[in-house]
Amino acid sequence: MNYSMAEIRAFNATLQTGNFTRAAALLSVSQPAITAQIRKLESRFMSPLLERFSKSVRATELGHQLYQITRQYHDLEAAIDALSNPTLAPGKMTLQVANASSLIFMPLIAEFSRRFPLTTLKIRSVTTSECRQLLLNREVDIGLFPLMNDNSELSRLAFSSHRLVAVLRLDHPLAHKSAVSVRELAAEPLIIYKPEAYTQQTLEQLFGRHQLTVSGNVVVDGRLDMSEAVYHGLGVGFALEQDFSSDSRLKVLPVTEATDDVIEHVVWMKNRRNLPGIRDFIHLAIEQRCGALSELSEL
């Protein structure tokens, strides 16, 4: 069968925007044109590709499988444009970013926005594991998170590093110390994160190396809730050092045994590196990383 690019574009745009009207606006065509292209595409399959609701659509299982394949066509078109115009700036486009470490990466994101003001940045603040999956699914263009395991589809740039720290109330009995040990912490009520959180995984690995178990009656979703829980006396919290915003109510202490650096990476799909937006974000990250290393060498 001959599938037209117009059909594929209409289908992908409808899934990306959520309905026919926004898809038509995205592609600068009429809504009936979008509807007609999708009907032509669906006629080639034994089952529907879309579930239709009053104001939105959603992919069926078959539609999702098709989208996994066809969304790469956009990358192909963009790659050809980039090859023919190697100095072309991103311009008016949308760059999707999955971010697990806002305090570290927001300055980089802000600088990108200043340099490319026509580009819309859509930032999703999610866990490390979610960042990775969103990248592999091509639902985002750039991931900002610690990529610990090599993946043949992903490339990464080491951007920053930090270590696990403990967070205590100022009046906590351990707060006067310059550092705290895992055995001291194990004797305290702990505020923990959900299992998929990277900080929680780091904490459990550290305790596990010393035959200790992480346990606590308070489980939080994020660092803000952790800080408030610590301040209100619910226990000792944890964070990766640069992820924790200064709080005069709390004391941050190094954990003696936490000697392994957690590397924060800029991550992208290898086969999308030269696409406008992605390419420029990577170049900016390299520039900032090299600048930071240069400053360190002068100290």
Side-chain angles (χ1 to χ4, degrees):
M1 290 186 184
N2 294 319
Y3 301 94
S4 75
M5 285 303 299
E7 293 169 16
I8 299 301
R9 288 193 192 98
F11 174 70
N12 288 356
T14 300
L15 285 183
Q16 289 162 6
T17 60
N19 65 36
F20 299 122
T21 301
R22 288 195 291 268
L26 179 65
L27 297 180
S28 300
V29 299
S30 68
Q31 182 178 328
I34 291 289
T35 305
Q37 293 292 352
I38 290 178
R39 283 178 179 162
K40 284 176 62 178
L41 184 63
E42 285 189 308
S43 70
R44 307 172 192 273
F45 293 85
M46 299 294 293
S47 301
L49 300 173
L50 299 174
E51 293 182 76
R52 292 158 170 83
F53 304 94
S54 59
K55 293 184 178 180
S56 65
V57 298
R58 183 172 61 198
T60 63
E61 180 58 34
L62 179 61
H64 180 70
Q65 292 177 33
L66 179 63
Y67 181 60
Q68 293 291 105
I69 299 169
T70 60
R71 64 184 174 185
Q72 299 178 46
Y73 290 176
H74 173 74
D75 291 349
L76 177 60
E77 290 182 299
I80 293 172
D81 287 341
L83 187 63
S84 62
N85 299 282
T87 61
L88 187 66
K92 192 173 183 180
M93 62 168 288
T94 297
L95 189 73
Q96 305 262 7
V97 179
N99 181 18
S101 303
S102 290
L103 290 180
I104 292 173
F105 288 109
M106 200 55 71
L108 173 63
I109 294 170
E111 180 59 25
F112 181 88
S113 183
R114 282 189 286 271
R115 295 196 187 187
F116 305 103
L118 295 180
T119 300
T120 297
L121 287 165
K122 288 192 175 179
I123 304 167
R124 300 175 65 171
S125 296
V126 292
T127 65
T128 290
S129 58
E130 289 169 324
C131 282
R132 182 178 181 277
Q133 198 57 52
L134 287 169
L135 262 182
L136 291 172
N137 289 344
R138 281 184 165 79
E139 294 178 53
V140 299
D141 304 302
I142 293 287
L144 306 171
F145 63 98
L147 179 64
M148 301 306 294
N149 299 317
D150 288 335
N151 185 293
S152 60
E153 296 181 79
L154 299 178
S155 290
R156 61 185 175 183
L157 168 70
F159 189 78
S160 184
S161 65
H162 49 172
R163 296 180 181 180
L164 188 74
V165 294
V167 183
L168 304 88
R169 273 175 61 109
L170 293 177
D171 60 357
H172 191 282
L174 296 174
H176 70 282
K177 297 172 66 71
S178 58
V180 63
S181 71
V182 290
R183 296 201 177 275
E184 289 173 311
L185 291 169
E188 298 291 328
L190 303 181
I191 298 165
I192 61 178
Y193 298 99
K194 50 192 176 183
E196 60 268 29
Y198 191 81
T199 303
Q200 183 65 23
Q201 295 172 10
T202 303
L203 178 66
E204 290 179 356
Q205 290 170 7
L206 176 62
F207 272 50
R209 288 200 294 268
H210 295 84
Q211 289 77 52
L212 298 170
T213 301
V214 177
S215 62
N217 294 327
V218 179
V219 182
V220 296
D221 279 340
R223 288 178 285 274
L224 178 59
D225 287 341
M226 179 275 293
S227 296
E228 292 305 312
V230 171
Y231 175 69
H232 288 282
L234 294 178
V236 175
F238 298 89
L240 293 171
E241 188 175 11
Q242 294 180 54
D243 283 338
F244 185 76
S245 185
S246 178
D247 190 328
S248 61
R249 305 171 303 167
L250 306 174
K251 179 72 176 290
V252 175
L253 288 180
V255 179
T256 306
E257 296 86 353
T259 56
D260 294 336
D261 286 335
V262 173
I263 311 297
E264 300 284 351
H265 296 99
V266 177
V267 190
W268 60 92
M269 294 284 290
K270 287 181 179 178
N271 60 6
R272 304 187 75 209
R273 188 191 195 286
N274 291 318
L275 298 184
I278 297 175
R279 172 196 61 200
D280 300 281
F281 196 98
I282 296 167
H283 288 174
L284 176 59
I286 292 171
E287 176 188 316
Q288 291 206 351
R289 180 60 176 158
C290 290
L293 291 174
S294 177
E295 289 177 7
L296 284 175
S297 68
E298 293 173 2
L299 294 178

